Amino acid sequence: MTKLSVNINKIATLRNSRGGDVPNLLQVAKDVQKFGAEGVTIHPRPDERHIRYQDARDLVNVVYTEFNIEGNPMDNFMKLVFECKPTQVTLVPDAVDALTSNAGWDTVKHKSFLQDVITECRLQGIRTSIFVDPVLEMIEGAKVVGTDRIELYTEEFATQYGLGNEKAIIPYTKAAELASELGLGINAGHDLSLDNIEFFKNNIPNLLEVSIGHALISESLYLGLENVVNMYIRKLQ
Ligand SMILES: CC(=O)[C@@H](O)[C@H](O)COP(=O)(O)O
Ligand SMILES: NCC(=O)COP(=O)(O)O
């Protein structure tokens, strides 16, 4: 069984667009867990354009499933992580001004930096996962730096699968096989959706967790729109 961790960044994006508290991020976190999600993911970015650092602190008291905080392990981010002590921190090498995450770690080049961060997280009792492309050398490097898990960066798979190219799964399957042999736990995320999740899950051995946000929130809008439009129409009769 693969756990679903719902990424609620997009709820914060919508909330911040009006400056108030609608939709309420903490209520959404409570609700996704009530509906069966086994984790909540956030990715506070340095400009706080969606998740704010205070949201992370507030969510500590609300997330009773697995709390996953993602981000680039810069000083402020790591201070926040050590304060919140989530179940898992996912280290992502994204640039300060990145529109969204767009690459995995070079685990060879950044070996000693990652080793230091991961050692500190372990001392604090926080599970680590590092965001990686499905490249065997990077998976071997992930083992060397001592992470508990990897998160396979799935954008390329999602794009190619959407174009009908099922073979795009092959590097992910091979990466997962190697990770399993090396004793690394396997997570995955980025652009996973109702269209591609079943195929992905069926081809990735030992997939422990997926974190899904952009598509899941968009799909929730599409699938809920008819109901809400009709509720308004009934009130207007
Ligand atoms: C690490 C990752 O894959 C990202 O998908 C991320 O958590 C999404 O961030 P944004 O919501 O800022 O695009
Ligand atoms: N780690 C990936 C994640 O949390 C969500 O990514 P996306 O579904 O918003 O692309």
Side-chain angles (χ1 to χ4, degrees), residues 194 214-227:
L194 282 176
H214 184 73
L216 186 148
I217 301 302
S218 304
E219 289 154 351
S220 303
L221 291 177
Y222 296 140
L223 297 172
L225 206 52
E226 184 176 1
N227 184 32

Side-chain angles (χ1 to χ4, degrees), residues 7-10 13 41-45 49-51 68 70-71 90-94 98-103 131 151-155 188-191 211-214:
N7 181 318
I8 56 174
N9 293 353
K10 285 290 169 335
T13 305
T41 290
I42 56 170
H43 190 137
R45 292 186 179 274
R49 62 177 178 266
H50 43 57
I51 297 293
N68 177 38
E70 303 189 330
T90 300
L91 309 177
V92 185
D94 38 26
L99 179 64
T100 185
S101 309
N102 53 16
F131 199 58
E151 176 173 325
L152 292 170
Y153 169 37
T154 49
E155 179 177 350
H190 204 95
D191 280 344
S211 46
I212 309 185
H214 184 73

